[in-house]
Every structure is written in structure tokens, then in C-alpha cells.
Amino acid sequence: MRRIAQETINRVLEEVDILDVISQYVDLKKRGQNYFGLSPFRSETKPSFSVAPDKNMWYDFGSAQGGNAVQFLIEYEKISFPEAVRSLAEKYGIEITELGNKEQNNLYDQLYEIHELACIYFENSLKAASGSKAKKYLIERNFDDNIINKFRIGFASDSWDSLVKELKDKFENDILKKSGLFSESKKGPLIDRFRNRIMFPFFSLSGKVIGFSGRSLSEKEDVKYLNSPETLLFEKSKIFYGSYQTLPNIRKQNFAILVEGQTDFLRLVEQGFDNVLATSGTAFSSKHAIALKKYTNRVILCYDSDSAGINAAIRTSYVLLQNGIETRVLHLGNGDDPDDFFKKENTTKEDFRTLIKTAAHPISFIITQKEILSQGAADQSKFLNECIGEIQLVPDVMIRNDLVRKLANQLGVVEAEVFERFSNLKQKRYKSSHKEEVSPTEITHYNSSEDKAQLELIKLALHSPTLATGMPLALFSNKLLYNVLKVLIDNSDKDYNPGQILELIGGSPEQRNLIASLAIEAPDKAYQTVILSDCINTLERQPIKKEIALLRDKIRRLEEDDSSPDKALLEELSALQKKLQ
């Protein structure tokens, strides 16, 4: 796959004004050398988000995140590194140089083009005479042209090969197969996957069409909704319908309304609830939760209120809680879904807002909907064990304990007894359940004087690169900080800003955030030489301290064996101790 040349990345990080980039998303005010504003990543009332234009860096003190202009776009827009670099390069007129596999890059380009052309074809089919039945269905469901056009809803005709004929002369069969829009059949080499269906396109977070969901117009069709299969572009376990259009609003409002299908989604958007997402017939998974958590840690579930919807809401609630997302369940009753709710004459937007505010805690929802309190002791005990089994998968101990207390209170059971049962029933399920879905963040604690000295030296080197060459790289015991200093020393003559250095260092998100935190606040220049000298002195003393510790241990073992340490050993210890004086 093609990759962007380092030369292009360097130009972007050198030429793009980070203040100009971030000011388009955050209202910033100057305070000293830096600019401050409210965090765009979480709700807050006091500004803790800082931008240092001279360092080409930003840092969010509340969430301990930071980085350069590229990293900001990655975090805010939730796009990939190449997409962020391309976006900035194109906006600021920087030529993009690419390296790598042209064929692989061309495959992705063709797949995107196929989906875009298919979407246009479906849109035109809806407007044509052959799409009258589909158009009538949408009108009867009270969806106007604004919604239809905004979400690019279309129609796949009741034909085996209408889309094949539209695209076969533009792309090779092998590429068309990989798009997921076609199948092989006895009726011909390729046939259309979607036939006689209203088409709802899925978009990537950058706005490209990547897949479809088709709603059948035939009552005889067994599969009411048919989604695109897994492809290079479309990964069902991570994608929500409508995410491209509503995720910015979800970020602003700091909660998402989660519904099951496209029509429920569209109805809520039409009614002004623009922080909604739909799972679109795909079972909610931890991958969905992980993707959603990048935008918000609060979710209101609004599934269908029939038996299947209630069971789906219960399963989804557990997955959300197990991934650290605060969850509430909005139950409409009467078997209604959100689309049904707004079809009723006496219901208003304010009624729905009230339901959002009064949405139930998942534990309360489950106990109420399953009528647990009216069941016998044996069934209640069985439910308690089942619920505890799900709570055990919650990794955060505070959330876990709160859920146990909530469960005890709702069931009218002594809290201590529920905690005791929790301990007795405890299973090692969490690690195996999340093993493939969650990549643990590497955690490093910098508590020792040695670590702190290395951090201070890195901070000095980031702000005054010429000082890096005089720092004792060989004495850096922390592997991450060693690598950072080596990059700083190797590039000390290139006049790179910290934003560029950050990309050269790479590393995990935690490592990037650490470097950003050091780069955002400059040390007092008047004390730079003092800090440099003190930190180097601290590091030079560490090997001596370790040698002293080894000698003392050796002497202690000799004394335990009733042997006296020889004179040379004692003299060596004394000489080392004098070096520390």
C-alpha cells in the first residue's frame, strides 16, 4: 500500500500553522505565550486546552492528550494518519509525494469510485419512473426530499444486472467482486447483490461511500434488510449508519442516542435529534463500543420496545458498561420504535426530550422489563448470578462496585451479601473476552529521581535542541526517553520544531502525549544551565549508587557467612561513597 513520503509529512508539520488549524474548531484566547480554550474532546467549563504556536503543539491538560496538527485532526475528525496529512497538505497547497505499492493504492481508489458511482446510480433510479414504488414508500413514511438528499437514499431496481451493466465497462470483474456489490450466479458471471430495495449508503468519516444497506420492497423477501458484506472498505463491527453526518454533533453534546435501524435514525434526525447513530441490523459488539467511545462515553439506548428490541437493549447495555460507557435506556412502550413514536398525533419533540432525561439505568431497565421482582426466589437468585457474571466483565472497579450496589438496592438484597456472591462467583472472563478487541495502552510511571532527571533533560532538549548534544545518552536508563533523546541528538542541526520531532519519535499514544506535555510548557531560560547541570549530576550519580548497593550486598552476604570482607572491598566502597559527597 502506498505511503506518504516523510518529506511531505515534514513540510506539513513545518508549514502548516497549528493555531490556524485548531482555531477552526476551538475558540482560543492568548494567555502568555500560549493560547487556551475549552477542550474539544470533552465537556468542561474552564479552559484546559492549550496550543503553543511556536512549538507547533497542542496539549489537553484535562485528558492528558497532546500532539501536533496532524494528531489533532486524527483525534478530532477520527481519521487515519494519511487522511489527516492529505487533508492538511491539500488545504495548504503542499504537494503530496507518495511511495510504495501503486497497485494496492489503485485498488482502494477503484473501490471508492465503484461505491460512489453505485450511489449516484441508486439516487438516479429513485428519481426515475422505475423508482416510483420506492418513492411512494418513502413518502408514506413521511420522509421528505431534504432527508432523502442529505443521506443520499436511493433505489436498486428489481433487476439481476442493472448495476453490473452500468459499471462492467469501467472496471475489471475481479475489482467489482471485491466491492461486495455483486455476486456470482448461474445467471451470469456477476449479478447485482441488491435488487428491489431502498438503498441507504454508509459513509466513511471523511465522507466517502463505503457500503450499503438495502430495505426490501417485497413482502415475499425473507431478508428485510441486507447489508454489504465485509470488504476492504466496510467493516460491519465498527461502523454505524449516519456516523459521518452526526458524530460532530455527538461530540458537541457529549452523548449519543443509539437506535436499531435507518428509519428510526432518519426520523430522529428529521425531528432535530442530530446526535443519533444506528447499528443497522448488526449485533452491537465491543468493537462498536470502542469506536463509539472515541466520541463520547455517554449513550442513550432507544431500541424497539418489543420483545426482540428489549433483549437487544439488554445485551447492548452490558457491552457498553463493560467498555466504560455510561448507559441509560429509553423505553417507548407499546412495542413502539422511534419512528412509530413520532407518527402519533399527540407526541412532540418535548415529549421525547423528557424521555431522554428520564431514561432508566440498565439495571433498573432489566429488572423492570423482565419482571424480576415478581418472580420466585430461585429465579431471582439465578438472575442475580447472571447479572453478576456480566458485571464481572466491567474492568473499572469503581463502576463495577457501583453496579453491584445498584443491583442489591433494586433487588432489595443486603449489599454485603451481593458482594460476597460476586467474590464467590468471580471468573477470569474479562481478559479472554477482550483479548483481541482491546490493545492495552502501555503505562509508564516516572517516579524515581533518575526518571525525573531524564524527563527534565528531554524537556530542555525539546525547547533548546542545541543542548541535546551535550546530554549523556548512555546514562538514560528509560528506553522510551533514550529513544527520544537519540532522535533529538540526531536531528539537533535540522531546526525541526517539536511537532516534527513528534512524528520522528512515533510510539504509542501514551508516549506521544508524554512528549506533548513536555513540549507545551517551556522551562525558564534563566535556569536552563542550572537544570541541565543538576540533571546530568543526578544521572551520573546513579551508576555509583548502584555499585555501592552491590558492594554493600556483597559485604552483607560475607558477614552472614561469618566471613570478613577483605580490605580492598571496603576501600572500594569508601572511594565510591566519597564520589557522592
Side-chain angles (χ1 to χ4, degrees), residues 302-438:
C302 186
Y303 282 9
D304 297 0
S305 57
D306 58 10
S307 178
I310 290 169
N311 289 330
I314 291 171
R315 290 193 300 271
T316 302
S317 293
Y318 282 135
V319 174
L320 288 166
L321 291 170
Q322 288 157 8
N323 283 275
I325 297 176
E326 181 186 329
T327 308
R328 294 293 182 269
V329 186
L330 188 162
H331 184 61
L332 296 170
N334 302 315
D336 288 348
D337 58 30
D339 189 31
D340 297 326
F341 179 84
F342 282 106
K343 284 180 181 176
K344 296 178 180 178
E345 291 183 6
N346 298 325
T347 53
T348 66
K349 297 176 185 179
E350 195 55 44
D351 292 332
F352 194 78
R353 289 193 186 95
T354 300
L355 289 174
I356 290 174
K357 292 175 184 176
T358 58
H361 188 282
I363 298 295
S364 302
F365 174 79
I366 296 166
I367 290 173
T368 300
Q369 296 304 319
K370 293 297 183 181
E371 300 180 339
I372 301 299
L373 297 181
S374 65
Q375 297 178 14
D379 288 332
Q380 287 192 26
S381 179
K382 180 182 177 183
F383 166 76
L384 182 59
N385 288 345
E386 289 174 353
C387 203
I388 286 173
E390 297 291 345
I391 293 173
Q392 284 170 352
L393 302 185
V394 176
D396 189 303
V397 65
M398 293 183 69
I399 297 175
R400 202 164 57 226
N401 289 345
D402 181 64
L403 290 171
V404 171
R405 293 188 188 99
K406 186 79 174 178
L407 182 61
N409 181 56
Q410 293 285 306
L411 291 176
V413 181
V414 177
E415 192 177 290
E417 293 180 2
V418 179
F419 273 106
E420 183 179 358
R421 187 178 294 207
F422 182 93
S423 299
N424 293 336
L425 292 174
K426 198 166 187 179
Q427 302 170 10
K428 293 181 179 178
R429 292 173 59 194
Y430 173 71
K431 287 185 179 178
S432 60
S433 173
H434 287 62
K435 186 175 181 181
E436 295 181 358
E437 296 181 3
V438 181

Side-chain angles (χ1 to χ4, degrees), residues 62 206 210 216 244 252 268 328 336 356 428 448 504 538:
S206 58
I210 55 174
S216 176
Y244 169 63
K252 288 176 185 176
L268 288 181
R328 294 293 182 269
D336 288 348
I356 290 174
K428 293 181 179 178
S448 69
L504 296 176
T538 297

Side-chain angles (χ1 to χ4, degrees), residues 96-108:
I96 301 172
T97 304
E98 293 183 312
L99 307 169
N101 189 331
K102 290 184 180 180
E103 290 183 5
Q104 181 73 355
N105 190 64
N106 187 44
L107 170 61
Y108 277 89

Side-chain angles (χ1 to χ4, degrees), residues 45-205:
T45 55
K46 294 182 179 180
S48 66
F49 181 85
S50 178
V51 179
D54 59 325
K55 300 295 181 292
N56 230 0
M57 299 284 282
W58 61 271
Y59 190 72
D60 185 346
F61 288 91
S63 63
Q65 290 176 276
N68 51 39
V70 173
Q71 288 300 319
F72 179 83
L73 278 194
I74 290 171
E75 291 296 325
Y76 190 88
E77 300 287 356
K78 299 304 175 188
I79 57 179
S80 67
F81 179 85
E83 284 179 307
V85 173
R86 287 177 190 276
S87 175
L88 291 171
E90 290 169 2
K91 184 172 183 178
Y92 289 88
I94 298 170
E95 184 180 356
I96 301 172
T97 304
E98 293 183 312
L99 307 169
N101 189 331
K102 290 184 180 180
E103 290 183 5
Q104 181 73 355
N105 190 64
N106 187 44
L107 170 61
Y108 277 89
D109 288 341
Q110 289 188 79
L111 290 177
Y112 282 124
E113 186 178 358
I114 288 170
H115 279 82
E116 176 60 27
L117 291 174
C119 190
I120 293 171
Y121 181 74
F122 294 143
E123 288 178 287
N124 291 335
S125 296
L126 180 64
K127 297 171 185 174
S130 59
S132 59
K133 185 179 178 181
K135 186 73 173 178
K136 181 182 177 184
Y137 172 86
L138 291 169
I139 291 172
E140 288 175 349
R141 297 297 295 267
N142 296 316
F143 290 119
D144 60 29
D145 287 341
N146 288 333
I147 287 289
I148 292 170
N149 294 334
K150 180 177 180 180
F151 292 92
R152 302 187 67 183
I153 299 169
F155 170 63
S157 63
D158 193 9
S159 165
W160 289 100
D161 59 359
S162 61
L163 186 60
V164 170
K165 289 177 180 177
E166 181 72 14
L167 299 177
K168 67 178 182 178
D169 294 332
K170 299 180 179 74
F171 304 93
E172 295 179 2
N173 273 11
D174 185 51
I175 303 294
L176 292 174
K177 288 177 190 177
K178 289 178 181 179
S179 73
L181 297 176
F182 308 96
S183 306
E184 291 185 278
S185 168
K186 295 177 182 178
K187 293 183 180 292
L190 286 179
I191 60 171
D192 295 354
R193 175 180 292 274
F194 299 100
R195 300 182 299 277
N196 195 29
R197 291 177 182 273
I198 293 176
M199 301 300 291
F200 301 91
F202 285 81
F203 298 88
S204 70
L205 294 181

Side-chain angles (χ1 to χ4, degrees), residues 248-263:
N249 300 314
I250 287 170
R251 186 188 291 111
K252 288 176 185 176
Q253 298 180 50
N254 196 26
F255 81 96
I257 303 170
L258 195 61
V259 298
E260 290 185 271
Q262 286 94 338
T263 54

Side-chain angles (χ1 to χ4, degrees), residues 457-458 460-462 464-476 481-496 501 504-505 532 536:
L457 289 175
I458 294 295
L460 283 175
L462 283 168
S464 301
T466 55
L467 295 178
T469 54
M471 295 179 183
L473 181 62
L475 296 179
F476 270 56
L481 300 181
Y482 176 93
N483 292 334
V484 173
L485 181 59
K486 189 173 188 311
V487 171
L488 289 168
I489 291 172
D490 292 345
N491 295 279
S492 60
D493 60 339
K494 295 185 174 66
D495 198 29
Y496 285 154
I501 291 293
L504 296 176
I505 292 167
L532 180 65
I536 291 176

